[in-house]
Amino acid sequence: MNSKAIAPHWEHFEHEADIGIRGIAPTLEQAFEQTAVAMTAVITNPDQVSASKAVSIRCEATDKELLLVDWINELVYQMAVQGLLFKRYQVAIQNGNLSATAFGEVVDRQKHQPAVEIKGATFTGLSVYQQADGAWIAQCIVDV
Amino acid sequence: MDTSQFIQRDKTCWEIKPNGTMRVPAIIYADAQLLQDMDQKVYEQLTNVATLPGIVEAAYAMPDAHWGYGFPIGGVAAFDPEQGGVVSAGGVGFDISCGVRTLHTGLNIAGLQAHKQALADELFRTVPAGVGSRGRIHLNHKSMQGMLTGGARWALEEGFGEDQDLERIEDHGCMAGAEPKYVSSRARERQKDEMGTLGSGNHYLEVQRVAEIFDHCVAGIFGLRVNDVVISIHCGSRGLGHQIGTEFLKNMVTSAAQYQIVLPDRELACAPLTSPLGKQYLGAMRAGINCALANRQIITHLTRQAVARVFPGVHPGLLYDVSHNTCKLEQHTIDGQKKALYVHRKGATRAFGPGHPDLPPVFKETGQPVLIGGSMGTGSYVLCGAKESEQRSFSSACHGAGRAMSRSKATKQWQGRTLVDELAAQGIIIRSPSMRGVAEEAPAAYKDVGAVVDIADQAGLARKVARLEPVICIKG
């Protein structure tokens, strides 16, 4: 099966106390983008968020899994200190360095009805790998 | 999980003998039903904890144990620094010193009824709750340092409370050994506008009625009578604790090999207690404990203001304040010898029994109050520390009901607005900025806290004193 046929998408998976976020896409970068959309969806419906503000993000790590944890934690930090929610992301990864732009807006409690804030990404349920069909999976559980 | 994996020691004690790389046994306190209902992940996580260097006696799981990160939630483990013992950021968790504080109001339910809506509105207006809420206090560098070092004592000096509050807080309101220099600028940045905020998820402020007394003598000393109105606050160290947890978890993962620690699960990341990283984490984590204590103290002040606006002259006093995500240096007796051990309690409550030297005079005969949070529709419990819990679990007990259903399943099953209406029909007022948040916290998404508390009582972890029913719930 041609991996290009797999449309980038995200999903949640079960954890007894918290929630798992998973991105599935033809490229590693897109999988990271989708995992981040899944993270927004833990808080609110991403369709309700506009993309009026852009934030630059950089992180690096020695392996892809640590990089995913860093990426999500960087977004958690930016959301917390700037009071933002993100709608979409553009990610580039080269030699363990991630550079990205996150697009979103300031949280509006009436409009977004945010359900829960994310404390951090965990190493539980953490994996980043390429399936036999070529699709990249990037996932972890977030503590809420 | 399958109970045949265990040796049943008595009605409530189930043991897994050391096997493979386990250094000590793993012990779960539960009855057959609670044990069957626990996820197999609890078994895996608890036996993983039992492999960590320097662990003493056993890795314990409380009756409310469920699948956590590295440690199960409801996990207790003590480590000896002289035996290569470790401290684990995952063993404390992201929400450092999350805990419960309960206040007496001096009101009874009959006096509250006519003012219930007004009190709900006033509390919801006064105590910031939910995602995107900000406190009214802005911390500068100096006040941040004071808060991280002084905890609830600092809050008192800032005018949030009174002297007699302190003896009714673990560690008398101030965790010694905090080292703010190990708290990063990012952790401070996350906290500077979050003091006095509840947060979200399972955090709440609840007005409750004392519904039932199990031990009249202890309840009398705790100042609890049937139909009294109390207020319980469940929250933790907010963004600061989360950031400390995030940063040290990563540092401990990447430096495990340097300390020759083999991690069965990366989330169990830890460092030797005597190592620079271990000491840095302890210093930062204790500052995180102070942040939680200060936060609950400020929320107490806000609560007092709200109550006084509805009931002029009423000034709630503290019953007690407990933390359930901590690692603390305590004296415990091992084979007849007093040892200084670092006790991790991840989703477990300290439960010092009668006569413990760290307790204030008022609780010397009863043991400390052990405050167990329930869900917004069911109930909460007040227990007291039991003498035998020292031998059973390093003086530890359960912390809450524990989830029975994931958040995504809960939102598929319930609508927030419908739940609010159903609870209103039962006389419970819910105030929350997010209806989806309410659905995720649906009462039926939690285990039966009554069953958990019964087993804690039967196992000798803590003794039942009173049951509390929700009247008003402010959800984050």
Side-chain angles (χ1 to χ4, degrees):
Chain A
M1 185 178 166
N2 181 356
S3 68
K4 301 295 177 206
I6 298 162
H9 64 286
W10 59 267
E11 60 193 26
H12 290 154
F13 62 98
E14 299 279 318
H15 180 274
E16 204 174 4
D18 293 292
I19 196 159
I21 56 173
R22 179 182 291 141
I24 304 147
T27 69
L28 177 66
E29 286 84 352
Q30 287 173 316
F32 271 47
E33 291 169 5
Q34 290 299 317
T35 313
V37 179
M39 179 204 62
T40 298
V42 171
I43 310 164
T44 190
N45 179 354
D47 296 340
Q48 295 288 319
V49 182
S50 71
S52 52
K53 198 168 162 37
V55 177
S56 291
I57 285 168
R58 285 178 188 281
C59 44
E60 57 180 330
T62 49
D63 66 53
K64 293 184 182 70
E65 293 182 344
L66 287 176
L67 191 63
L68 178 69
V69 170
D70 269 9
W71 159 236
I72 298 299
N73 279 332
E74 196 64 33
L75 294 170
V76 168
Y77 175 76
Q78 295 298 339
M79 288 192 302
V81 297
Q82 299 199 51
L84 295 173
L85 288 169
F86 296 121
K87 181 184 186 67
R88 61 185 175 84
Y89 311 84
Q90 276 174 358
V91 172
I93 299 172
Q94 204 161 31
N95 301 325
N97 290 295
L98 178 150
S99 61
T101 308
F103 300 92
E105 66 171 322
V106 171
V107 61
D108 175 334
R109 280 148 62 98
Q110 281 300 316
K111 177 182 165 189
H112 300 124
Q113 288 280 306
V116 70
E117 68 189 341
I118 295 174
K119 294 172 186 164
T122 76
F123 291 83
T124 303
L126 170 63
S127 57
V128 178
Y129 61 97
Q130 193 169 20
Q131 291 185 151
D133 65 2
W136 280 92
I137 310 290
Q139 67 169 56
C140 70
I141 286 164
V142 290
D143 190 2
V144 298
Chain B
M1 63 175 91
D2 182 358
T3 56
S4 68
Q5 305 169 97
F6 296 84
I7 300 164
Q8 188 171 7
R9 290 291 176 209
D10 59 40
K11 192 164 167 272
T12 58
C13 179
W14 306 74
E15 180 179 340
I16 306 156
K17 286 230 171 257
N19 61 74
T21 53
M22 286 170 71
R23 295 166 195 260
V24 292
I27 289 174
I28 299 181
Y29 293 106
D31 62 4
Q33 188 62 51
L34 281 173
L35 193 65
Q36 277 166 20
D37 291 347
M38 275 182 202
D39 196 293
Q40 181 65 20
K41 293 272 185 195
V42 174
Y43 181 102
E44 285 169 30
Q45 293 188 325
L46 198 63
T47 51
N48 282 343
V49 172
T51 69
L52 293 177
I55 186 166
V56 176
E57 296 277 83
Y60 298 101
M62 302 293 104
D64 54 340
H66 53 283
W67 178 22
Y69 312 110
F71 274 58
I73 297 164
V76 175
F79 295 84
D80 184 348
E82 292 176 359
Q83 303 291 323
V86 293
V87 59
S88 167
V92 172
F94 284 91
D95 199 357
I96 295 168
S97 199
C98 182
V100 181
R101 167 180 291 214
T102 298
L103 312 173
H104 300 283
T105 64
L107 297 164
N108 66 34
I109 193 71
L112 174 67
Q113 286 303 347
H115 305 279
K116 242 166 79 173
Q117 294 286 349
L119 183 60
D121 291 340
E122 198 58 46
L123 286 167
F124 190 47
R125 205 168 18 240
T126 310
V127 180
V131 182
S133 62
R134 290 282 188 263
R136 290 169 186 83
I137 301 154
H138 179 83
L139 295 179
N140 59 26
H141 178 73
K142 186 164 172 260
S143 51
M144 179 72 77
Q145 292 292 108
M147 183 274 286
L148 295 174
T149 315
R153 268 177 212 273
W154 166 84
L156 242 67
E157 288 159 13
E158 297 293 309
F160 304 112
E162 51 233 37
D163 282 346
Q164 57 266 38
D165 292 344
L166 292 178
E167 72 163 6
R168 287 170 178 263
I169 304 171
E170 286 181 353
D171 305 297
H172 304 274
C174 176
M175 187 72 227
E179 296 198 68
K181 65 183 173 193
Y182 297 126
V183 176
S184 70
S185 56
R186 289 193 141 205
R188 291 159 190 256
E189 186 67 25
R190 263 178 96 165
Q191 192 59 31
K192 67 181 190 199
D193 296 319
E194 291 206 340
M195 293 310 296
T197 62
L198 265 184
S200 63
N202 62 359
H203 294 158
Y204 59 77
L205 183 151
E206 216 167 68
V207 179
Q208 301 157 326
R209 174 179 83 92
V210 178
E212 194 175 358
I213 300 280
F214 307 104
D215 184 328
H216 287 274
C217 177
V218 175
I221 293 166
F222 286 2
L224 299 172
R225 292 166 308 180
V226 168
N227 286 329
D228 278 358
V229 173
V230 299
I231 298 178
S232 293
I233 297 159
H234 176 217
C235 63
S237 50
R238 309 291 298 111
L240 183 123
H242 309 167
Q243 192 67 25
I244 291 171
T246 296
E247 291 169 6
F248 277 93
L249 192 60
K250 185 187 175 191
N251 289 346
M252 287 179 175
V253 165
T254 50
S255 41
Q258 178 194 329
Y259 296 118
Q260 283 92 48
I261 295 172
V262 180
L263 294 174
D265 172 354
R266 291 217 267 195
E267 197 77 33
L268 270 181
C270 55
L273 284 155
T274 52
S275 68
L277 181 56
K279 288 178 179 168
Q280 287 163 20
Y281 176 68
L282 285 170
M285 185 263 302
R286 288 165 175 161
I289 290 177
N290 281 331
C291 178
L293 298 180
N295 194 41
R296 289 197 287 273
Q297 186 65 34
I298 294 169
I299 293 174
T300 298
H301 178 77
L302 298 174
T303 301
R304 285 170 169 159
Q305 288 182 327
V307 169
R309 280 195 283 271
V310 180
F311 296 98
V314 171
H315 186 79
L318 258 69
L319 167 58
Y320 205 52
D321 179 301
V322 300
S323 296
H324 48 229
N325 284 351
T326 57
C327 174
K328 289 186 179 176
L329 178 60
E330 295 171 5
Q331 297 286 326
H332 290 282
T333 305
I334 306 295
D335 300 328
Q337 298 265 316
K338 280 264 183 214
K339 293 283 262 179
L341 302 175
Y342 287 82
V343 183
H344 292 67
R345 295 188 180 91
K346 172 73 193 88
T349 310
R350 194 191 79 175
F352 285 162
H356 195 284
D358 287 358
L359 294 180
V362 61
F363 300 132
K364 273 280 192 283
E365 286 183 20
T366 59
Q368 75 165 79
V370 176
L371 309 171
I372 309 296
S375 68
M376 59 189 167
T378 55
S380 301
Y381 284 81
V382 178
L383 289 78
C384 62
K387 199 123 204 161
E388 56 269 43
S389 73
E390 163 66 18
Q391 293 303 316
R392 301 286 269 171
S393 58
F394 296 112
S395 295
S396 310
C398 51
H399 86 306
R403 287 191 81 90
M405 185 188 290
S406 69
R407 291 177 178 278
S408 34
K409 271 191 192 152
T411 44
K412 282 184 193 119
Q413 196 150 339
W414 293 288
Q415 295 263 323
R417 174 48 59 192
T418 315
L419 271 176
V420 168
D421 292 343
E422 284 171 8
L423 290 166
Q426 296 171 38
I428 303 166
I429 301 176
I430 308 294
R431 290 279 186 277
S432 174
S434 168
M435 283 304 115
R436 180 174 146 191
V438 170
E440 291 186 5
E441 292 294 319
Y446 282 83
K447 288 180 199 156
D448 174 10
V449 68
V452 165
V453 162
D454 283 346
I455 297 305
D457 183 293
Q458 287 168 32
L461 307 179
R463 299 274 172 236
K464 279 163 67 175
V465 176
R467 182 170 63 85
L468 314 174
E469 278 179 359
V471 181
I472 299 167
C473 182
I474 312 295
K475 286 301 285 186

